[in-house]
Amino acid sequence: MKRVIILGGGYGGQAVANELIDKGIPSDTLVTLIDRMPYQGLKTEYYALAAGTVSDIELRVAFPSDPRLLITYGEVQDVDLERQVVIMEGNNELPYDYLIIALGCTDKFHGIIGADQYTCTIQTFSDARQTYQRLNDVKPQGQVTIVGGGLSGVEVAAELRESRQDLNIRILDRGPSILSAFPAKLQSYVADWFREHDVEMIGHVQLGRVEEGILHDNESPKPIYTDVTVWTAGIQPVELVQRINLPKDNSGRLIINEYHQLPQYTNVYIVGDCASLPFAPSGQAAGAQGKQVAEVLHAIWNGKTPKLGKIKLKGMLGSLGKKAGFGLMGKTALMGRVPRLLKTGVLWKSKHHIG
């Protein structure tokens, strides 16, 4: 009996499982999906859960239900690549013949003292729930500070403004402007939206220390006071991947070959935020990778050489509340209601395993 273990039921892990089922799992093969939760959380929408504009249940997607797929719940402690076992909590060991690591990412605090202790995040379903509690307990006219002006920070700020008109909201970024990785046209559009909706943007902030209610900028002696701080200023692979002593890129992601395998252990596949890819981490990239991993496994099981096409991402979409958004399709910038409607459609497809 061949044993396939998928670690993580997010965008990548779900894609592997669904594709394996669709293409047919051989009768001599057992596929096990391991996750800490009994459903997939739509991570790209956690900003809305944190802001309080959607309910928890709206962001849950059921795992595939199929007699050929075993779902196991629990916390993965480690992986022994030499012995080919996954070590679960309680030191329970699960042997594998093929392993897919799709465990996603965690926050990166860049060594800033107190950042991990005195900020809240949206990296996991549990984190987003706790952030919702913190944000919505802030009293009227209270101050919320979002550290990081990338896509996540922008979406949190915009959604929170829609949820809480009474709050003071600011975004801090170490760069000169929000969305610094995007075209100037998009930056200007989003900045104008924030100015219109009274969201403060402060650039060139180099945080050195975080305390309860206070942020310290290395470039200024004046403390920045806040009631709640939301951290969206960087990600890195989960701790399990951080401990794997194999070649990685500058972001700590494992180097893989053209079949998404570890070159040193070709029965181990790395999917999503843990894998070194030629584009930024995203649910879209993880899903595309997951489908290709399933194709590779089926080719191997059928004694064929895998033939994979180049992964082509469709673009990026971001929201500014429920009525406006922005996006980038190739080199074309999208702004206004259309990208927001497109994002709503993408979310619907994700919830129904379509596309």
Side-chain angles (χ1 to χ4, degrees):
M1 179 69 72
K2 296 191 293 287
R3 294 157 298 190
V4 180
I5 293 182
I6 303 170
L7 300 184
Y11 294 101
Q14 275 267 36
V16 175
N18 281 315
E19 196 72 8
L20 286 176
I21 291 170
D22 288 346
K23 290 184 177 298
I25 298 173
S27 59
D28 65 343
T29 302
L30 175 65
V31 179
T32 301
L33 173 65
I34 300 175
D35 200 276
R36 61 162 68 98
M37 298 192 303
Y39 46 76
Q40 177 195 1
L42 292 176
K43 189 172 183 177
T44 57
E45 305 300 308
Y46 284 176
Y47 68 90
L49 176 60
T53 57
V54 302
S55 66
D56 180 307
I57 198 170
E58 291 180 66
L59 302 186
R60 301 179 194 173
V61 177
F63 289 136
S65 178
D66 190 280
R68 298 163 294 178
L69 177 68
L70 176 64
I71 308 292
T72 297
Y73 307 118
E75 199 76 34
V76 178
Q77 298 294 332
D78 211 343
V79 171
D80 190 323
L81 299 176
E82 294 295 335
R83 295 171 52 227
Q84 294 192 183
V85 295
V86 172
I87 304 169
M88 302 294 293
E89 52 191 343
N91 291 320
N92 181 32
E93 295 187 352
L94 302 177
Y96 66 82
D97 296 293
Y98 302 93
L99 177 66
I100 297 95
I101 299 177
L103 290 170
C105 62
T106 187
D107 291 288
K108 186 172 185 178
F109 295 103
H110 308 284
I112 297 172
I113 298 169
D116 59 340
Q117 185 177 357
Y118 297 110
T119 68
C120 50
T121 84
I122 59 170
Q123 279 305 321
T124 68
F125 221 134
S126 178
D127 289 337
R129 289 185 182 115
Q130 293 177 49
T131 299
Y132 163 77
Q133 178 88 37
R134 293 283 306 279
L135 289 175
N136 285 278
D137 281 348
V138 177
K139 295 179 179 179
Q141 309 310 315
Q143 178 69 61
V144 173
T145 303
I146 297 160
V147 180
L151 178 60
S152 294
V154 163
E155 290 191 310
V156 170
E159 203 76 9
L160 186 60
R161 168 53 73 223
E162 188 161 285
S163 173
R164 294 284 304 270
Q165 295 289 329
D166 58 288
L167 293 178
N168 295 299
I169 303 171
R170 70 161 73 98
I171 300 179
L172 307 182
D173 197 88
R174 60 184 177 182
S177 67
I178 57 171
L179 297 177
S180 58
F182 295 89
K185 188 176 182 180
L186 279 185
Q187 292 180 37
S188 297
Y189 170 74
V190 176
D192 287 344
W193 191 95
F194 278 146
R195 280 188 283 267
E196 181 182 343
H197 291 81
D198 296 318
V199 175
E200 184 182 12
M201 296 163 286
I202 305 177
H204 299 295
V205 175
Q206 300 291 331
L207 288 183
R209 190 170 81 258
V210 179
E211 300 176 18
E212 183 64 47
I214 307 175
L215 306 172
H216 296 275
D217 180 3
N218 287 335
E219 303 299 314
S220 171
K222 186 178 179 181
I224 301 171
Y225 294 101
T226 185
D227 291 301
V228 173
T229 302
V230 182
W231 189 270
T232 63
I235 59 173
Q236 59 185 338
V238 294
E239 186 180 347
L240 182 149
V241 170
Q242 294 177 36
R243 294 197 302 268
I244 294 178
N245 188 24
L246 290 174
K248 298 173 181 173
D249 63 17
N250 292 334
S251 297
R253 299 179 176 92
L254 287 161
I255 302 296
I256 54 176
N257 63 20
E258 67 270 32
Y259 300 125
H260 311 296
Q261 302 162 332
L262 289 176
Q264 304 83 357
Y265 302 91
T266 55
N267 64 331
V268 179
Y269 299 78
I270 311 298
V271 173
D273 300 344
C274 299
S276 180
L277 300 172
F279 26 71
S282 68
Q284 183 183 170
Q289 245 198 309
K291 288 183 177 181
Q292 289 200 346
V293 166
E295 292 178 23
V296 172
L297 287 172
H298 273 286
I300 292 172
W301 295 339
N302 291 317
K304 299 178 180 179
T305 300
K307 294 181 180 179
L308 302 178
K310 183 179 180 181
I311 291 178
K312 296 180 180 179
L313 302 184
K314 297 177 181 178
M316 178 282 305
L317 294 168
S319 70
L320 296 171
K322 295 292 187 286
K323 296 181 180 179
F326 55 96
L328 197 60
M329 299 296 174
K331 295 182 179 180
T332 302
L334 304 175
M335 294 162 285
R337 191 159 179 80
V338 170
R340 188 64 185 90
L341 291 172
L342 288 173
K343 185 174 183 186
T344 299
V346 170
L347 174 61
W348 186 89
K349 291 170 69 175
S350 295
K351 292 176 74 172
H352 294 83
H353 301 299
I354 298 173

